[in-house]
Amino acid sequence: MSRQVLPLFDNLHRGVLSCLTSAKSSLLHVCQAHAHILKVGIIYDTVLSSRLLALYSNHQCFAEAQLVLHSIPEPSVLSFANLIYALTRSNLLALSLDVFSQMLSHDIWPEYRILPNIINACGGLSALETGKQVHGIVFRSGLDSDYFVQGSLVNMYVKCGEIRDARKVFDRLPQRHVVSCSALISAYARKGCADETMRLFNEMKDFGVKPNLITWNGVLSGFNQSGHCREAVVMFQKMHSEGFQPDDTTLSSILSAVGDLEELNIGIQAHCCVIKQGLGQERYIRSALVDMYGKCACALELSQAFDELDEKDIGACNALITGLSRNGAIYLALKVFEQFRVEGMELNVVSWTAIIAGCTQNGKDIQALELFREMQSAGLKPNSVTIPCLLPACGNIAALMHGKAAHCFVLRTGIADDHHVGSALIDMYAKCGRIHMSRLCFDKMPTKNLVCWNAILGGYAMHGKTKEAKEIFDLMQRAGHKPNIISFCCILSACSHSGLVEEGWSYFNSMTKEHGIEAKMEHYASMVNLLGRAAKPEEAYALIKQMPFEPNACVWGALLGSCRLHNNVGLGEIAAKKLFELEPENPGNYVLLSNIYASKAMWTEVDAVRDIMINRGLKKNPGCSWIEIKNKVHMLLAGDKSHREMPQILEKLNELSMEMKKVGYCPETDFVLQNVEEQDKEQMLGEHSEKLAVAYGLLNTSPGSPLQVIKNLRICRDCHAFMKSISSLEEREIFVWDTNRFHHFKDGICSCGDFW
DNA sequence: GTAGGGTTAG
């Protein structure tokens, strides 16, 4: 293309010139100037073209800027620099790298001002390979001693997660600087390297570099993100004592950390700072306050903080739902959730997951299943977080069909390898009585973490499959997983179901000796349970007396339970006395003691315990069972006359009992609370909820199909004998999960071998 | 013109 000289006498040309030389030209003027240039077909010299390019770049018209760039016959480093700078500022990082590579292909070598932009672009894109290539260019161009270039390199490696390379560049810096220090410190904190973070933080001061607000904020947010909330709070207090005023960033981090620690007092302290700094209107802060009060179990403050939000975005709504559920205010959470839906709020998968989790955690399992269905009708797709929130609901009420449906969903959406999903499936199948399915899910997982191993271990323990539990316990260690406190709870519980006293002791002792884990309350409770059930209540009591801390109600409850099993009055009284102090409102303890007395015909004592219960206004917890029939879960209460089909259920039970008596079943009535007539006792037993559930199941399912029942109390001896008898008489497999363990009745025998 | 920091489900 030929090159012409601009006729200086032309007014229009003069206008074009002045437009291109003024940095403040409006976009309209720039476009007019460009149009004129194109119209008259003049190619300006490099300087003027670069001006046009710079103006387009400043106005963020990158397509036009690139067009101009391509039209410059001999672009300079400055032409590219303008565009690269503008692109990086607009966060168009990939484009910026693209222009950089165009520059290199023109054989133009970068100058020091371009490089930090380019290096930052690599960091922002986490483009480590490109970043390393640029690092090479930095070396070859001899610009590696430029201070800003070095600083950006530190940051680039940090952003790409290559903290070691970042450190290498950092260590070669001729002098420490607050910016590079801050970048590296926050990276250490984000990675959870608390020691490294603190070392560098203290070193900074030794080198005479003062931490600024950004340094503190980096440490706080880093610790917060890596779950080192305690460290974050400590640093917040240190910061406070060193006289630094926190800003909105500091406070949103610290509020989040405080929430996770459930440290309300520090939360209130941080809230005071918010007010003092006049930051109460900041969006992030307000959301963080909602989150903090939600986690610190302050339903009132939570609702207040939420009401004060100007803009109730989805995040805040979700925090409110979660917070209320977590505080046990599930009815309020459900009400709020419904309100959001009525108001047409666009709830997302997080909102639905939160309310489902809330239901599962607050005993609203049936509602959780309903919400899961509604969620899908509302067009939302559950994810790998939703499923593990839902599955416990299936397990809690033995809703096997719902659990299987969720499993199908998992397989269809390809989230089966997720550790949370996998362990929730293992647990669900175990609770629904399908331990072989648990094992199948476990075996199918390509990688397993400790939670997965504990899930299958717990499943075997629940089913009393001690041999398998022991195998898993060995295998997990061979696979390189150290058993934790939960693993030991499971293995001890497995031992207790089989009365393995020696092995129980051996596992218990190995905790401290071989694994360096101090035995906690639940381990002592397990051991007491194991010894008590194995008819060694004196040994159990001796262990309680040796405990290094005060035993709680679980421990004494285990002792009382085993005393009931072996009708040991002396120790039973000791345990009950403690329990009446520790949990005076729990009717179960009174019932157990009363049953022990009744078994020895100590009717005066029975009456005395009954009187205490009456005086304290306590009633026996009603027995309650759940059974799933045709995808619907039914609840049956002992002695519930209001159930629509109760007459048919009782008739069926009566019929069964007659049949069973013919083949030798004899009701076991010794445990009944009162000294009542034999026939009445039999009737009371007949109305135990698990029997009602099984009768209901028999009436409403096809012959031969298995039944699964969940019970809120421990199954009684009579019901156990009843189930065994039914399983052979009606040729049905019956799964009963009580508060203690799993019973699988088949062909007249139970998987627990009558030891439970 | 050139480097660092923030909230929301298991």
Side-chain angles (χ1 to χ4, degrees):
Chain A
M1 240 181 271
S2 66
R3 208 177 152 134
Q4 293 184 25
V5 177
L6 194 70
L8 287 175
F9 49 83
D10 186 319
N11 273 343
L12 185 59
H13 287 162
R14 260 187 219 127
V16 168
L17 257 179
S18 86
C19 169
L20 291 180
T21 45
S22 160
K24 287 179 187 165
S25 297
S26 73
L27 182 57
L28 187 67
H29 286 134
V30 179
C31 292
Q32 281 173 345
H34 192 190
H36 181 74
I37 292 168
L38 291 175
K39 194 174 159 194
V40 297
I42 304 166
I43 300 299
Y44 285 93
D45 65 40
T46 305
V47 174
L48 285 183
S49 297
S50 293
R51 281 305 308 157
L52 185 59
L53 189 148
L55 287 166
Y56 270 134
S57 298
N58 290 344
H59 284 290
Q60 301 186 349
C61 299
F62 298 116
E64 289 80 356
Q66 290 233 49
L67 211 68
V68 175
L69 180 65
H70 291 147
S71 73
I72 302 176
E74 285 165 29
S76 72
V77 66
L78 208 69
S79 322
F80 287 97
N82 276 322
L83 186 53
I84 286 171
Y85 174 66
L87 284 168
T88 335
R89 283 193 61 142
S90 301
N91 209 27
L92 295 166
L93 307 182
L95 264 178
S96 161
L97 289 184
D98 193 42
V99 174
F100 182 67
S101 82
Q102 286 173 38
M103 186 184 100
L104 294 178
S105 66
H106 275 79
D107 263 345
I108 298 173
W109 210 239
E111 54 125 42
Y112 69 99
R113 280 177 302 189
I114 293 183
L115 284 168
N117 287 311
I118 289 303
I119 296 167
N120 286 338
C122 296
L125 294 166
S126 294
L128 179 64
E129 282 315 306
T130 316
K132 282 183 174 168
Q133 286 169 19
V134 175
H135 196 168
I137 293 169
V138 166
F139 259 122
R140 272 178 281 147
S141 59
L143 293 167
D144 54 309
S145 58
D146 182 90
Y147 208 75
F148 286 104
V149 171
Q150 289 174 328
S152 344
L153 280 170
V154 172
N155 190 38
M156 184 272 288
Y157 282 118
V158 160
K159 288 252 170 78
C160 292
E162 293 296 315
I163 197 160
R164 284 190 186 173
D165 285 335
R167 183 69 197 222
K168 272 188 215 157
V169 181
F170 180 82
D171 284 337
R172 282 199 297 265
L173 291 175
Q175 65 194 58
R176 297 282 198 262
H177 186 268
V178 64
V179 173
S180 304
C181 287
S182 303
L184 203 53
I185 285 173
S186 69
Y188 280 134
R190 256 198 308 274
K191 265 206 159 184
C193 310
D195 292 345
E196 279 301 318
T197 312
M198 293 319 297
R199 198 174 305 143
L200 189 54
F201 190 83
N202 294 328
E203 254 177 44
M204 234 177 116
K205 291 184 180 172
D206 299 341
F207 279 103
V209 184
K210 278 187 186 165
N212 61 18
L213 197 53
I214 291 178
T215 323
W216 285 102
N217 286 347
V219 177
L220 282 177
S221 74
F223 276 147
N224 185 33
Q225 283 165 30
S226 59
H228 289 63
C229 303
R230 179 63 57 196
E231 284 85 349
V233 167
V234 169
M235 286 303 274
F236 174 67
Q237 284 165 330
K238 192 174 154 80
M239 172 181 182
H240 198 71
S241 68
E242 290 189 18
F244 272 91
Q245 292 297 336
D247 68 354
D248 48 347
T249 303
T250 326
L251 289 164
S252 37
S253 286
I254 203 64
L255 284 169
S256 162
V258 162
D260 287 342
L261 289 171
E262 298 177 31
E263 291 260 19
L264 181 62
N265 285 337
I266 304 169
I268 292 170
Q269 203 183 319
H271 194 171
C272 289
C273 289
V274 168
I275 296 164
K276 218 165 95 184
Q277 306 285 102
L279 295 165
Q281 304 300 315
E282 292 287 327
R283 216 182 109 229
Y284 276 114
I285 295 272
R286 290 177 155 207
S287 303
L289 276 170
V290 171
D291 176 55
M292 186 274 286
Y293 281 121
K295 287 179 177 161
C296 289
C298 292
L300 188 69
E301 286 81 355
L302 165 64
S303 305
Q304 261 174 16
F306 183 80
D307 286 339
E308 281 172 19
L309 294 176
D310 303 319
E311 192 197 331
K312 293 176 171 54
D313 69 357
I314 187 69
C317 293
N318 292 343
L320 180 66
I321 298 167
T322 315
L324 289 173
S325 308
R326 209 177 314 205
N327 290 332
I330 184 65
Y331 288 103
L332 202 52
L334 283 163
K335 211 173 125 190
V336 164
F337 187 80
E338 195 48 43
Q339 184 77 23
F340 288 154
R341 290 181 74 186
V342 170
E343 286 168 1
M345 176 98 204
E346 277 212 19
L347 296 171
N348 61 14
V349 57
V350 178
S351 333
W352 285 89
T353 305
I355 194 71
I356 290 171
C359 286
T360 327
Q361 286 151 12
N362 289 284
K364 300 259 160 267
D365 300 296
I366 295 178
Q367 206 146 4
L369 295 173
E370 276 168 17
L371 282 163
F372 183 67
R373 192 177 43 77
E374 277 180 50
M375 167 182 189
Q376 284 160 297
S377 329
L380 277 135
K381 201 178 153 207
N383 64 16
S384 60
V385 181
T386 320
I387 297 294
C389 287
L390 172 83
L391 285 172
C394 306
N396 289 342
I397 52 173
L400 179 63
M401 288 306 146
H402 286 90
K404 277 186 176 172
H407 190 185
C408 289
F409 178 88
V410 164
L411 296 172
R412 271 203 312 278
T413 45
I415 53 170
D417 297 348
D418 181 289
H419 287 156
H420 289 113
V421 172
S423 30
L425 279 171
I426 294 167
D427 188 59
M428 181 275 292
Y429 276 120
K431 285 179 176 157
C432 289
R434 301 300 191 270
I435 189 67
H436 61 283
M437 279 301 292
S438 296
R439 185 56 189 259
L440 217 62
C441 290
F442 177 78
D443 288 339
K444 288 238 175 227
M445 296 191 72
T447 64
K448 303 163 179 86
N449 68 6
L450 187 57
V451 180
C452 306
W453 284 95
N454 283 345
I456 188 69
L457 185 60
Y460 281 135
M462 199 187 297
H463 281 257
K465 296 203 175 290
T466 316
K467 191 175 128 257
E468 289 84 349
K470 279 158 61 188
E471 272 168 19
I472 287 290
F473 195 78
D474 285 344
L475 279 173
M476 71 185 270
Q477 291 179 75
R478 268 187 250 153
H481 295 280
K482 282 186 178 175
N484 67 358
I485 53 170
I486 295 173
S487 323
F488 278 102
C489 281
C490 296
I491 196 70
L492 289 176
S493 151
C495 289
S496 86
H497 289 319
S498 302
L500 299 178
V501 175
E502 288 305 312
E503 284 171 277
W505 271 123
S506 146
Y507 283 120
F508 183 79
N509 291 329
S510 76
M511 278 178 72
T512 33
K513 283 187 192 146
E514 288 170 34
H515 301 274
I517 303 171
E518 285 301 316
K520 295 225 182 322
M521 199 67 86
E522 49 268 49
H523 303 113
Y524 280 100
S526 250
M527 277 311 286
V528 168
N529 189 24
L530 166 58
L531 295 167
R533 297 174 148 273
K536 293 176 184 284
E538 298 295 340
E539 208 173 312
Y541 186 47
L543 178 64
I544 294 181
K545 285 194 283 192
Q546 281 170 26
M547 281 175 64
F549 41 83
E550 264 317 292
N552 70 358
C554 293
V555 178
W556 290 114
L559 185 63
L560 181 60
S562 65
C563 288
R564 164 68 187 112
L565 202 67
H566 302 291
N567 295 324
N568 183 325
V569 176
L571 279 179
E573 282 177 335
I574 295 175
K577 195 172 164 236
K578 288 281 181 187
L579 284 163
F580 296 162
E581 283 166 26
L582 289 167
E583 36 177 43
E585 306 295 315
N586 183 348
N589 300 325
Y590 300 91
V591 174
L592 277 172
L593 182 61
S594 170
N595 285 346
I596 296 175
Y597 286 139
S599 71
K600 301 274 179 187
M602 298 164 72
W603 304 117
T604 325
E605 286 80 0
V606 170
D607 287 342
V609 177
R610 278 189 64 202
D611 287 344
I612 303 176
M613 282 185 79
I614 293 165
N615 287 339
R616 297 195 178 172
L618 300 173
K619 278 189 184 157
K620 207 175 155 179
N621 273 341
C624 180
S625 292
W626 292 265
I627 183 163
E628 188 192 44
I629 294 164
K630 294 184 194 101
N631 282 349
K632 197 164 184 302
V633 176
H634 300 263
M635 185 174 89
L636 290 116
L637 275 169
D640 179 12
K641 299 270 186 288
S642 64
H643 196 284
R644 231 170 0 105
E645 292 176 54
M646 198 48 84
Q648 291 93 308
I649 295 173
L650 292 176
E651 197 193 318
K652 178 75 185 172
L653 273 178
N654 204 21
E655 188 187 302
L656 286 169
S657 140
M658 306 237 277
E659 284 290 310
M660 282 159 47
K661 276 181 189 164
K662 277 189 214 157
V663 294
Y665 159 77
C666 172
E668 296 190 28
T669 54
D670 81 298
F671 75 95
V672 180
L673 187 61
Q674 302 103 326
N675 179 19
V676 285
E677 292 301 315
E678 201 62 28
Q679 208 180 347
D680 294 341
K681 283 185 191 174
E682 209 178 302
Q683 172 151 15
M684 289 170 67
L685 290 175
E687 289 177 14
H688 273 179
S689 64
E690 56 269 53
K691 286 203 188 98
L692 299 176
V694 165
Y696 190 59
L698 289 172
L699 285 169
N700 289 289
T701 54
S702 48
S705 56
L707 300 174
Q708 39 207 51
V709 174
I710 294 243
K711 170 143 207 233
N712 70 334
L713 303 170
R714 191 174 275 207
I715 189 169
C716 79
R717 231 176 288 178
D718 180 62
C719 284
H720 197 265
F722 176 90
M723 299 295 166
K724 287 202 291 187
S725 192
I726 290 270
S727 70
S728 66
L729 204 64
E730 294 275 320
E731 294 179 356
R732 298 265 199 151
E733 275 181 80
I734 304 173
F735 300 88
V736 179
W737 183 39
D738 71 3
T739 46
N740 175 44
R741 59 159 291 161
F742 223 91
H743 300 267
H744 180 186
F745 302 92
K746 197 180 173 189
D747 304 328
I749 51 171
C750 178
S751 60
C752 76
D754 298 337
F755 184 89
W756 84 92

